[in-house]
Amino acid sequence: MVLKLLPVSSALWDPSQKGVCLGIVEFKRPQLSALRSYTLGLKFGHEQLQKGRPIILGTFLCASQRPKKSPSFKIQEASSQNVDLPKRLPKNKKKPYPIPFEKIKQAARKDKKLAQMGIEKPLDPPKNGLLVPDLIPVAYEVVDAWKVLIKDLAQLLHIIPVYACSECSEVHVAQTGHHIQNCLGQTSASRRSFHSWVKGSINDVLVPIESYHLYDPFGRRIKHETRFEYDRIPAVVELCIQAGLDIPEYPSRRRTSPIRMIGKKVINRGGYVEEPKPWRSANSYSLADFDTYGACGRFPPPTSSDVARIAQETVDAYEIVRLGVEKLMKKYTVKACGYCSEVHVGPWGHNAKLCGEFKHQWRDGKHGWQDATVDEVFPPNYVWHVQDPKGPPMTGALRRFYGKAPAVIEVCMQAGAQIPRKYVPMMRLDIVVPDSEEARLVA
């Protein structure tokens, strides 16, 4: 088969049409025998790829035009004006797995196959009980930022009013509570879903998530009868302790030889070691700096000249803690209950029967452990963003124009801090909230 390009007629060429090529192509189609094997080639030029017998001449017309993309197309994709927050999960269902369930089953089948063959499970630090040296500075940085976050936030709450609903978990940062009817408390029907506002505290802004402190995370599991023998500390601090942070009051076992496992069974953990009691330590260490309870009473209100500086320090500390926790959780295992807010730092969850959520009777009160996410260990606690804290209260008719932000970020913004760019779309700062009468005219 031979294709031959003929000169393009001026009548077929239109210079105003960009990206269009019009031309007449003459091709020769050989009559080939079905008994002979042959190949067809395509080449433009004077050379013929294959000679054939008597040919049949033909012409065809081809045209090609590629539409140009709008130059603002990528800009529209990159920058979004508003972002909807993830929907609140229903309480009558289990939380979705952060890792696809097919991958979990695939890893379990792989471990089971190795165990049946008697091959040890390959473990890398920290899965084998050893520390990761590169993450030890991250653990110290997270704890230092955690203490700064508690201290500065407690000072800001003296001048920034925070309200919390006494019936549900709703929190609002403004001079008065909002009038949005979204209360889910037990007596919300008698109040037509209006909130019952009371004065909030630091625990309403920075939600405390506690976990049991373990001297040896790979040792004996906590039972329901022995749960009072272990202290409860913030999960962020416990994660840093297991990552290499040393606190005399809360010691942790540092292994020099790795543990060995076949499947789910530990065949060598270096023996069980008696756990020292935290209160027996002779060294004094300020444990109150790690706790949010009573923080507003420990720190005085700031001066008017230091409010903006403290607010910016709080935002920076909040981002350091969140990024640090995310780095540590990529290596160190943290478990969360699929039904309630319980969190456990360690390779396995505890056996305390404290779950009271959906169908806890079927599980005898035991938690449904699965891998935790960053929001479960360090919850953002989203609140409505108030553009004018001293203006009229928010109403339910305009709720689709309101944005949301983490409670810590909302407090710091009202105190004069610069908000990171990633929170702008969810706060909807570029949207002008209309009046109640204008909202009816909006499509």
Side-chain angles (χ1 to χ4, degrees):
M1 178 180 181
V2 178
L3 296 180
K4 184 178 179 181
L5 291 177
L6 298 181
V8 180
S9 174
S10 60
L12 299 176
W13 174 256
D14 186 2
S16 62
Q17 298 293 333
K18 297 182 180 179
V20 179
C21 179
L22 299 176
I24 299 177
V25 181
E26 177 181 331
F27 65 93
K28 299 178 180 180
R29 184 172 55 198
Q31 296 177 354
L32 300 176
S33 173
L35 300 177
R36 296 179 54 186
S37 61
Y38 59 90
T39 57
L40 295 179
L42 176 63
K43 184 175 181 180
F44 293 96
H46 299 287
E47 297 182 3
Q48 297 181 359
L49 299 181
Q50 184 176 351
K51 294 183 179 180
R53 295 182 178 182
I55 61 176
I56 299 176
L57 297 179
T59 60
F60 66 93
L61 183 67
C62 62
S64 174
Q65 182 177 4
R66 295 181 179 179
K68 287 187 177 181
K69 293 183 178 181
S70 175
S72 61
F73 181 74
K74 294 183 179 180
I75 300 178
Q76 294 176 0
E77 288 184 348
S79 60
S80 56
Q81 189 179 21
N82 56 77
V83 174
D84 294 331
L85 298 181
K87 296 182 179 180
R88 184 175 297 179
L89 298 176
K91 293 186 177 181
N92 59 350
K93 293 183 180 179
K94 188 178 181 180
K95 302 175 187 175
Y97 290 96
I99 302 176
F101 192 64
E102 293 296 331
K103 292 185 177 181
I104 297 177
K105 294 192 297 184
Q106 184 179 2
R109 286 194 296 264
K110 184 179 179 180
D111 294 343
K112 184 178 180 181
K113 185 177 180 180
L114 292 177
Q116 291 175 352
M117 298 172 60
I119 302 176
E120 292 186 13
K121 184 178 180 180
L123 298 174
D124 297 329
K127 305 296 182 180
N128 57 1
L130 303 180
L131 295 177
V132 180
D134 296 339
L135 294 181
I136 296 178
V138 178
Y140 279 90
E141 184 181 11
V142 170
V143 168
D144 293 339
W146 175 259
K147 293 189 292 186
V148 173
L149 177 61
I150 294 176
K151 173 179 173 296
D152 292 348
L153 187 59
Q155 290 181 298
L156 292 178
L157 291 183
H158 287 287
I159 58 175
I160 303 298
V162 175
Y163 290 91
C165 181
S166 60
E167 297 291 337
C168 66
S169 59
E170 184 78 6
V171 179
H172 191 62
V173 184
Q175 297 294 329
T176 58
H178 63 72
H179 293 170
I180 300 176
Q181 298 171 270
N182 59 349
C183 184
L184 301 176
Q186 295 182 354
T187 61
S188 60
S190 60
R191 291 178 281 106
R192 294 185 302 166
S193 298
F194 283 103
H195 293 280
S196 177
W197 297 113
V198 296
K199 185 178 180 181
S201 63
I202 188 175
N203 291 332
D204 297 316
V205 179
L206 193 63
V207 179
I209 301 296
E210 295 183 344
S211 174
Y212 286 107
H213 169 64
L214 297 177
Y215 174 73
D216 185 8
F218 295 88
R220 294 184 176 90
R221 300 179 70 173
I222 300 176
K223 299 181 180 180
H224 185 74
E225 296 78 13
T226 61
R227 65 187 186 277
F228 296 111
E229 300 178 5
Y230 302 88
D231 285 352
R232 301 271 294 181
I233 62 176
V236 175
V237 179
E238 176 63 19
L239 178 61
C240 295
I241 291 175
Q242 295 189 17
L245 175 68
D246 291 330
I247 300 180
E249 281 76 7
Y250 297 116
S252 181
R253 182 178 180 179
R254 308 302 183 191
R255 282 184 166 83
T256 57
S257 58
I259 66 172
R260 299 164 57 193
M261 295 181 62
I262 293 182
K264 296 183 179 181
K265 183 179 180 181
V266 180
I267 60 176
N268 184 11
R269 58 166 49 92
Y272 290 103
V273 181
E274 183 181 358
E275 300 182 4
K277 300 299 180 181
W279 55 83
R280 294 181 182 177
S281 177
N283 300 327
S284 60
Y285 198 86
S286 180
L287 298 178
D289 295 340
F290 300 114
D291 204 346
T292 57
Y293 292 98
C296 293
R298 297 196 306 266
F299 302 103
T303 59
S304 58
S305 59
D306 295 338
V307 172
R309 178 186 59 83
I310 293 176
Q312 191 62 43
E313 288 182 358
T314 307
V315 173
D316 297 339
Y318 180 83
E319 291 298 310
I320 291 174
V321 172
R322 187 164 186 84
L323 293 177
V325 169
E326 186 176 358
K327 289 181 181 179
L328 295 178
M329 289 182 63
K330 290 181 180 179
K331 291 291 185 178
Y332 290 88
T333 304
V334 181
K335 298 294 183 179
C337 180
Y339 302 93
C340 67
S341 61
E342 181 71 10
V343 170
H344 184 79
V345 184
W348 308 287
H350 59 75
N351 288 334
K353 304 176 183 179
L354 301 175
C355 186
E357 294 299 329
F358 177 65
K359 293 185 178 180
H360 63 91
Q361 301 90 345
W362 293 13
R363 293 173 277 111
D364 194 19
K366 294 182 179 180
H367 296 284
W369 297 114
Q370 61 187 38
D371 291 333
T373 60
V374 180
D375 291 342
E376 291 175 325
V377 179
F378 190 60
N381 192 18
Y382 292 104
V383 299
W384 293 106
H385 168 60
V386 183
Q387 295 185 2
D388 186 8
K390 297 182 180 180
M394 290 181 169
T395 59
L398 303 176
R399 61 181 301 174
R400 60 173 174 162
F401 300 99
Y402 302 142
K404 283 193 173 184
V408 176
I409 301 298
E410 180 66 20
V411 170
C412 296
M413 182 178 183
Q414 295 187 18
Q418 295 182 357
I419 304 304
R421 184 62 186 173
K422 66 179 182 179
Y423 296 111
V424 173
M426 66 177 64
M427 298 174 73
R428 301 186 180 181
L429 298 179
D430 299 332
I431 296 180
V432 178
V433 179
D435 295 333
S436 58
E437 297 181 356
E438 296 176 350
R440 294 180 297 178
L441 303 178
V442 178

